[in-house]
Amino acid sequence: MRDVQRIAIVDPSDATREPLRNLLLGVDSVWLEAECARYEFFFDVIRQSVPDVAIVCLDADQAKAIQLIGQVASRFPELPLLAVSGRNDGQAILLALRSGAREFLTSPVQLEELLTALTRLPRRNSKGDSAPGTPFTKVSSQVYAVLGSRGGVGCTSLAVNLGATLAQEKDFSAALIDLDLALGDADVALVLIGDYTLADVALNIDRLDMAFLKRSLCQHASGVSLLPHPAQMEDCQLIREEHLQRMINLLRASYTHLILDLSKSFSPTDVTGLRMADKILLVAQLELSSLRNVVRMMLTLGNEPELAPKVQIVMNRVGMETDITLRKAEEIIGKPIFWQVPNDSKAMIESRNNGVPLIQHAPKSKAQQSITGLAQALTGKSQHAATAPKAKKWFWQTSS
């Protein structure tokens, strides 16, 4: 689980305090430590509860609220203050910031804006000091986009098993979004039938909040959560780039790792996923059509300077009979292979047919050992991944 940010709020108005409280209660990464209905009592509330963030709503009595911000900032300089007001008043904003508020939000507060503001605030350590500009969360959310070089290379299998593997870590929580909108089968791989799909989320995007979004995901016994593709093909057109952006931004608040299982069509939603990803896992095999497509994809991704550095080549089913060596593949691609997953067809097919991830079905299988190593390499759990015995060197990362 990610570290929780403890928040105290003060707002004498029930009409604005209750929506803010409900908003905070729906976010796993924050804890409502205290709420106060009187400005004059908030100083004592802070002293007793010692929150990580204090939120002061200005509208009930702007003069008192500004004075309170100044007093708190003076007495607790290490405590980040966030001011909230529904009035479009530039003078009030200026006064709040000058008095010591670090951020200013407009009421009614939007969840994305709140989460963005919280990540910009300094983090207090156990001694009460602050590190300016350091986000609160020690475990930052990571988004991995899994992209196949052609159909059948094992893109979905890798996405599903990587998600299930990450979910096993006590400090992690993982969610998988099936962005192969027309023909995705992550739900089949996990034998999950959800009540909601991406289309339902898109249809409710205007009133989307964390509670509804989390209800839309279905959780597998392995711990990984899934947001399935639309049930009807015609519903694929409901999902637009801005919808996906909002979903990912919200899910970052509750999950340490998001895996995006992309289609092979480079659709607008695929491109949005690539842009929002921290790493792009381009899955290939040691055969000519797959490697040719890797070259083509790298050229396309290279047209956007921020995308190319994210790409990591994952060679799947290594060990199958082929005339193309790993060294030759790297020469063709012009880029080192980041990771190799061995051919382990028996364990993989049985896992797939039973709808159970490898981590549960065959945790000691060669493929699962490799995927565990991949998860460790991506999360920094193992800085020296190429440490397997020589006889099993092909499980692990290829040196460049």
Side-chain angles (χ1 to χ4, degrees), residues 1-2 144 158-176 190 218-226 254-259 357 359-360 368 371-372 375-376 379 381:
M1 294 294 291
R2 62 175 59 250
Y144 304 138
L158 182 67
V160 166
N161 284 292
L162 178 60
T165 300
L166 288 167
Q168 300 299 302
E169 284 285 336
K170 63 181 180 62
D171 294 328
F172 295 162
S173 53
L176 172 63
L190 292 169
C218 41
Q219 188 173 40
H220 189 264
S222 64
V224 67
S225 297
L226 172 68
S254 289
Y255 295 92
T256 62
H257 295 85
L258 302 180
I259 298 98
I359 193 72
Q360 293 179 312
Q368 179 54 46
I371 292 170
T372 298
Q376 292 173 344
T379 59
K381 290 281 186 178

Side-chain angles (χ1 to χ4, degrees), residues 18 21 102 154 173 176 272 298 313 323-324 329 331 347 371:
E18 290 182 5
R21 176 214 301 144
R102 302 288 184 90
S173 53
L176 172 63
T272 298
M298 291 298 296
I313 307 297
D323 294 331
I324 302 175
E331 291 176 1
I371 292 170

